[in-house]
Amino acid sequence: MTWTRETLRAEIIQLLEGHTAGEVKIEESSHLVADLSLDSLGVMEIVADMEDKFDLSIPDDMLREVDTVADVVKAIELRLKNEGRLSG
Amino acid sequence: MTAVWKARTVAQAIEDAAASTKTGYRFIEESSENEPFFTHGGIERASARIGGALQALGLQKGERVALILPDNADFIFAFLGAIRAGIVPVPIYPPTGLGKLTGYLENTLHIVAKSGARVLLTSAEIKRVLGTIQAQAPELQQIVAVEGIRGSREELKPVKVELDDVCFLQFTSGSTSRPKGVVLTHANLAANVRGIVELGLAVRESVDTGVSWLPLYHDMGLIGFVIAPLYYVNTITFLPPLLFLKRPVRWLETITRHRGNVSFGPNFAYALCVKRIREQEMAGLDLSTWRVAGCGAEPIRADNLRAFAEKFAPVGFDEKAFVCSYGMAESTLAVSFSALGTGLQTDVVDGETLWKEGKAVPAPADSDGAASLVQCGSAFEGHEIAVFASDDAESARPLGDREVGELRLRGPSVTPGYFSDPDLTQEAFAGGWLRTGDLGYLAEGKVYICGRSKEVIIVNGRNYYPQDLEWEASRVSGVRKGNVIAFGTMKPHNDRERVVIVFETPALDEQEKQAVKGEVRRVVQQAMGLTVDDVVAVGAGVLPKTSSGKLQRSKARELYENGELLIRSSSRDGDRLDAAKEFAKSQINYFRHAIFRGRGG
């Protein structure tokens, strides 16, 4: 499946919303730990879901690079782009 | 089973196991289908190479080497290599990501400095963020990347290693503020391994196989699945801990594929499987070979284990496989196991008398206020567990059956003390008995744990265990599960103990927060009959936790008493900047060293 930046962003936010039970408004600037209340177990669960959704493998060291929702979008975008699965 | 047990050093056990060509350690990697397998002979050779390389770095018998190695195989070879060279390894957990780098570096520096390690062995990637440590730990001479010594051709020079020599230092991450270095001798390890493998689990030599995703810088993974299997020459399959956290089903798939007989996890691991493994993932599972499903390292909740047994019974899980254990780093690893083949056993007692009078009086399961405690078995042969009043400084008068007090231990698994810390060591013992700090009781020789004695909240002469309050509070919607701390404080008036519950919440506006706080009060009041004096809502990441994620109640109390809890922002804030700063500092230090080395020739 091919993604555009917009569909990707919307999909990631939707996925995160599923894990926070709609209690918080998620924006690109939201911090995963501070704003979305994710702990390490919650983050690993989301990583697994994203791997399934985007058919990607997300290495552990990526976790050291992400802080906000925008960082997550960027990291996934880059990986999809490398595989030629990002259009636009 | 071996006919007669003879205590051997870990170094000797590695050499003895090397003769086996069929057994060994298998390493599952997330990113590859390959599962590299090293026979015990291969492990002997790989560890000799690293041991030789450490000797070539100038390390002598008895000196310390700190290990921060996220890769399981690297860690095991370096750990065993050091031990064979008589060098004392000091395992330290690797950085986990998601910020918190400043706290990580502080902790690491503390351990490195306290242990007096001369060399720190790590990966090239982690080495980059550790530069500042070298400048601050006076005895640390070099930080070495493991990539540079993996292919070393240095031969291991023979070193005489004896049972009373120190084998390694195990830094604990308890609920106290600073990690303490527990000294373990080869004799401690040999005694505890015997308790675990032979007496506790009746492991079949060279036959039983194990599966473990447990981190190797923690006693359960390291002693239970790296050291113990050397003595009984068992095959172990290791998974990376993060892989388990990401996909819990991989743990059970590995048990299925490699027909695992023995595997352990803390309470949360079983709960995670219940929560995260989907129906369609269960199709290929077969857990019928799983003979020992051990549970320990944190308080055991009977409900969690029952839910696991129910969910996985259709794929062959036998609830009688549960072995509930009690243990602590100061007693090497294990103190007691529930009897094999009995499964989860609980003692239902009257909560009111337990808390108010410190007596565990049996009660019908359906009675009001009944408390259900998990049985953790009895002491290993040659070891003793007894209960004393917390203020019995000489361990003069053991309490009777079903009387709650501090559990104390004696026997060959008990550490000689904390490394270079005579004061802490003295505090840890009372009349020759190790003070565990855990509250519990014995009933017919079996151990039941109620909580940590220093954390018990006493209101009107009645004891409350913070775990119970936290458990109730976690059930309120809007409270982050596992992120609640309850404690008692004499502040501000020093007249009586006030009960405080602090929880993390995603709620943003004041009104929502008030609603959640009110609900927490109500729930605790209803369940425990206890009026909470203060309920505090904080943002995510604010509550203090140890490296392994345990809540730090004493620290939280301290922050609360100093008025710092509410002004404390998430410990994540600013970590980006910190990482950049640490990196810059490490670069500066690197150049400084390069320059000095150049000048000194």
Side-chain angles (χ1 to χ4, degrees), chain B residues 193-205:
Chain B
V193 165
R194 182 189 182 212
I196 296 168
V197 178
E198 182 180 313
L199 308 172
L201 308 181
V203 167
R204 295 167 292 174
E205 188 171 355

Side-chain angles (χ1 to χ4, degrees), chain A residues 38-56:
Chain A
L38 293 172
D39 55 15
S40 50
L41 287 182
V43 168
M44 294 316 284
E45 187 172 352
I46 290 171
V47 169
D49 282 356
M50 289 199 296
E51 287 187 341
D52 294 346
K53 182 103 230 164
F54 303 119
D55 191 22
L56 276 175

Side-chain angles (χ1 to χ4, degrees), chain B residues 347-373 402 404 441 450 462-463 465:
Chain B
D347 190 25
V348 182
V349 300
D350 182 61
E352 179 85 16
T353 7
L354 183 74
W355 289 315
K356 206 164 184 170
E357 296 163 36
K359 289 203 170 64
V361 179
D366 52 2
S367 61
D368 263 4
S372 171
L373 291 123
R402 295 190 166 275
V404 178
Y441 62 90
C450 308
R462 180 171 161 173
N463 290 347
Y465 301 105

